[in-house]
Amino acid sequence: MKYMLLYRWVFAAIILTACNGTTDSSRQGNAKQPNILFIFSDDHTNNAIGAYGNALAKTPNIDRIAAEGALFRNFFVTNSICGPSRASLLTGKYSHANGFMSNEQRFNIDQFVFSRLLQETGYQTAWIGKWHLGTLPGDAFDYWNILPGQGFYFNPDFINNNNDTIRHEGYVTDIITQLASGWLDQRDKDKPFFMVVGEKATHREWLPDIQDLGTYDSVEFPLPETFYDDYRTRQAAANQDMTIDETMRLDIDLKVNLDFEKTLIYSRMNADQKAAYKTYYTDRVSKEFNDKQLSGKALTAWKFQRYMRDYLATANSLDRNIGRLLDYLKAHGLAENTIVIYGSDQGFYLGEHGWFDKRFIYEQSLRTPFVMRYPGVVAAGTSIDQFVLNIDLAPTLLELAGAAVPKEIQGQSFLPILRDGNTAGRDAVYYHYYEYPEPHRVMPHFGVRTKQYKLVRFYGEKNFWELFDLENDPNELTNLYGSDKYEATIMELKEKLKELITQYEDTDAARILAEETAR
């Protein structure tokens, strides 16, 4: 700890010297503790970001954070669902430990939340935008202005920390940025800040900003290799309800032949917004669909193209507003002493296995984007391959802020990895998903992922195992459980799984394994 404090003091002195004459008086107050800006989106996936290899996605500002800092290639969630992911972020704990396992529950805000420790360490704290935890933030943040529930893309309501509900005219991503910038303008500039900007994008039903309608219409997206997956060896994958083919709706999701006047989401739009949406989706998209008269695989492929175009067009506003926040930091002399993080609550399927949504332990929903910039500490162009979990963010930020990390936190700081890329990380990660049967009928399951293998236990109405060799089967198409060739590997993985279940005190998972052993 003494070394850490000395390191920050020396770094702060360097920054103060380099930034002498900046216009923001908060430089003096923030020198010893970095500001922290965490931009947290919803359902955005690695495969929709340029920095992660999608050359078709327009994400220059997310890419900019990655280029000027670190890109995490193996950042995983512990429960791939919106609310529980946020609860794990706030507590640094697995869902079973913080009590928030599915979106149907209400988060206990009176439990340990790491932002309170930041407050005690001298930070001003704020959460602005999507919260989605069923309860209000209360005193866990000094200021909050949040969307009720999922919120709306157009002309959304916000509830502030005076318990006033106010409707704001415009597009939700722009409004969130305006509120965030407004709070930064009014904050106490003698104190460091921690601000979470919770974005609604890119959540279903993927409503782009007016200026982004049609942005990707000239792009023909390649079908994922697994788009027509038959789920031959995987029971849970075969029984889900999240396919583009059957589950994705032409009307609500893709806005085809939609009666705008009778749909709640669009009833909030003003006349100009409705006119723009009708012109694009009725006169252009619906006409194309009606003229084509598609069926079978051709229809499913067309739905995929529409899905991708709306999803990425919705992400355009997200990225554009990230740029606005970065520009704000630079214009106010805050860029050099502010940690900027961009991440999502979990990954998302963009047609892989024929799906949209998330939930499964499979790679596209287990893995989530995470990029981080901290000038002078994180070298530009850093690539981090070590396993990192979303429960690790709380202890990392507490350590960076100079606060003690409570023993009750289950995550571990990844600051040593940021300082020295050769530092070893985890050799395995543990995952547990609960929400069933609705929506999407993804069976509850827990499992362990190592560098090469993934072992999964599904339970409930049916009980069975899956094993994947990720090196030889990166698409997770072939369940190897029960193969004599992998008998020793299965035994080793089960021991590792039991070890992690014990470490994280997941009593439900331990009981399920014990009952199986007893049979």
Side-chain angles (χ1 to χ4, degrees), residues 480-496:
L480 299 169
Y481 190 83
S483 168
D484 292 341
K485 179 182 176 181
Y486 289 91
E487 184 176 353
T489 298
I490 290 169
M491 290 180 63
E492 291 176 7
L493 289 169
K494 283 188 175 181
E495 286 303 311
K496 186 63 181 180

Side-chain angles (χ1 to χ4, degrees), residues 51 59-69 322-323 326-327 330 373:
T59 55
N61 294 296
I62 297 174
D63 300 347
R64 174 181 162 193
I65 298 172
E68 295 175 356
I322 289 172
L326 295 176
D327 291 345
K330 183 177 180 180
R373 186 185 78 179

Side-chain angles (χ1 to χ4, degrees), residues 21-192:
T22 56
T23 59
D24 197 315
S25 62
S26 66
R27 177 64 58 199
Q28 306 299 323
N30 291 342
K32 291 184 179 180
Q33 293 172 297
N35 302 307
I36 305 167
L37 170 61
F38 180 35
I39 305 164
F40 195 45
S41 65
D42 196 307
D43 291 346
H44 202 203
T45 179
N46 300 44
N47 292 338
I49 296 173
Y52 283 99
N54 188 333
L56 299 175
K58 299 176 175 66
T59 55
N61 294 296
I62 297 174
D63 300 347
R64 174 181 162 193
I65 298 172
E68 295 175 356
L71 181 144
F72 291 69
R73 299 191 179 277
N74 291 300
F75 197 99
F76 300 118
V77 296
T78 51
N79 182 1
S80 185
I81 183 96
C82 304
S85 180
R86 286 165 172 76
S88 290
L89 166 79
L90 286 167
T91 61
K93 301 175 184 178
Y94 274 86
S95 298
H96 65 270
N98 63 47
F100 195 75
M101 295 173 284
S102 80
N103 283 332
E104 304 306 313
Q105 297 175 282
R106 292 168 61 85
F107 179 64
N108 175 16
I109 193 63
D110 294 326
Q111 67 181 295
F112 167 81
V113 171
F114 85 93
S115 57
R116 290 194 180 100
L117 273 185
L118 290 178
Q119 291 170 336
E120 294 175 11
T121 314
Y123 276 77
Q124 299 169 92
T125 60
W127 188 301
I128 297 168
K130 187 167 183 177
W131 170 253
H132 196 214
L133 284 167
T135 50
L136 297 176
D139 64 358
F141 289 86
D142 298 312
Y143 173 83
W144 43 270
N145 207 339
I146 60 171
L147 294 166
Q150 292 285 0
F152 291 91
Y153 275 106
F154 286 92
N155 310 324
D157 296 331
F158 282 78
I159 304 174
N160 62 33
N161 56 321
N162 293 321
N163 288 320
D164 297 323
T165 300
I166 300 173
R167 181 168 298 189
H168 296 260
E169 186 84 1
Y171 189 71
V172 65
T173 320
D174 294 336
I175 295 166
I176 290 170
T177 299
Q178 292 162 11
L179 293 172
S181 300
W183 181 77
L184 288 172
D185 286 339
Q186 298 299 318
R187 77 192 195 284
D188 182 347
K189 294 181 175 58
D190 291 325
K191 294 181 179 180

